Amino acid sequence: MANITQVVWLFAITIIIGIVAQEPPISNNTNLHMICGPDSSSELVLQVGESYQRAISWLLSQRTRHWGWPLKSTATAILAMQLTNDSWYSRNSEDLTTQLSVKQLEIELLAELSRAKVVDKDSSRKIRNLPNISPGMLAYYIMALNSTCHNVTDFYRNDLIDILNGNMNRFPQSNFNNYFQYGLALLALCKSGAPIRAKYIREILDGQSVNGSYRYGIDVVSMALMAMSCVRDKVPTGYRNAYEQKMQRSIDYILSNQDQETHSFGNQISTALAVQALTAAGVESSNWNCHEAVRSGILTSQEDEGHFGSQGGTIQILPLLINKNFASVKNVKPNCDIPQDEEVDKSVFPEINILLRIENSVDTSAENLTLNVVVPENSTLYEAMVLATDQHNETFRFEATLGQWGHFMSHINGVANDGDRHHYWTILIGSERVSASTGSDRIITEDGETYIWYFKSFA
């Protein structure tokens, strides 16, 4: 069983790191900024290089005190960082702020997985939806995790590829009904090296209109084209001719939407996605005015602070500035080597058994619940709860918010804290029901011990 003790870092360390941290060095290799190919002018290369450095510095400055990004953008921001520089993160990196950002990525996804529900109870496979993460956003998480040395088929005992496949088989559904998200999902499978089912190839082809477009415009066409480019070598022989024809139709559609005066493909985000798609598909820049598209359609939209109008827009544009695109995700090769002195002897962390009990003293009609949970030795109570949601996914779920002092429990099995009535979840330990003096992040579980979440009125 994976050791998850490292998931929650002490925030005292975070404060120290915040004082001494420095931003990672930014490459000055001008060849990386030749986004219009060998014909890129030296002037454009310099402009793009300077734009890239300002955008990277701005994006890093937007991290929160937990070292993630606001607006649920931690996954997309980390993916953009790794796309532009796959040495930004490595397991032996001395930049602890980067390590903390990736830990925050883990924490955010683990919190969502704790609320996951089984969609098809009759199936032997655990196909689940994540309440606050759409399948398209899950694809971003998978790509970000894959790019930072994680096993996405065993992410703390969760098979993320299985979850994504389950949702792709249900496409379209309420939160997964457009081909931008579908393209992201294909990219995630491409990066993961997972099998690309013929059904997925057929779906991306059948969703295209006769003129090469997809519903909702050029952004969707661009993402679909990048996805098709990424999985191109995985297409079954029987689909290959149709696949090449459909790709060419999308290329033609994007080119037909280039403004003849400004040479853009819409706003700065649409232009960046279109340029990335054309680059991913191998379209020669001589077939369209790449220089002006980049200069007038993208670079002129950059603000003095370094962003491109928004955090989301900056994230979408960044890969282009380093001559990358979202299809390049399959080529990201992070340094995943573990230094010799940091290799973990798994025998140090044998498994133990604890009892997790849920009691509600406010609603006396509510049934108490007792769960046996298997955890690695030295796991915290919070980590044990995360594992409990996987081991007892049909009977146990919880929600917690991460604050300055660690995780604060807000809901357990649908019962929420009520500040107006002063009803709160508290922790009792052992048969003597001793009140815990610290939070779940600081309680180290012991073999055979009982941990009680007790809903109580403090009125």
Side-chain angles (χ1 to χ4, degrees), residues 356-370:
L356 185 64
R357 187 167 172 81
I358 312 301
E359 297 183 6
N360 187 338
S361 68
V362 176
D363 180 3
T364 56
S365 65
E367 293 186 9
N368 296 332
L369 177 67
T370 302

Side-chain angles (χ1 to χ4, degrees), residues 25 100-101 132 136 150 157 196 322 335 416 446:
L100 282 173
S101 291
N132 299 315
H150 291 79
R157 305 183 72 181
I196 305 298
I322 203 74
N335 179 4
E446 297 181 7

Side-chain angles (χ1 to χ4, degrees), residues 79 82 86 89 142-149 191 329 332 334:
L79 176 60
Q82 284 296 93
D86 59 13
Y89 170 83
I142 289 173
M143 288 187 282
L145 289 168
N146 245 323
S147 301
T148 52
C149 306
K191 167 60 182 172
V329 68
V332 173

Side-chain angles (χ1 to χ4, degrees), residues 153 161 165 168 186 189-190 192-198 200 231 234:
T153 62
I161 296 299
N165 275 323
M168 290 188 75
L186 274 179
L189 294 176
C190 176
S192 303
I196 305 298
R197 300 174 183 175
Y200 303 162
V231 301
K234 303 179 187 294

Side-chain angles (χ1 to χ4, degrees), residues 48-68:
V48 171
E50 186 271 338
S51 174
Y52 167 72
Q53 293 191 32
R54 290 199 292 132
I56 282 287
S57 296
W58 179 85
L59 184 60
L60 289 172
S61 74
Q62 298 305 297
R63 286 183 289 190
T64 67
R65 61 192 176 93
H66 302 309
W67 299 98

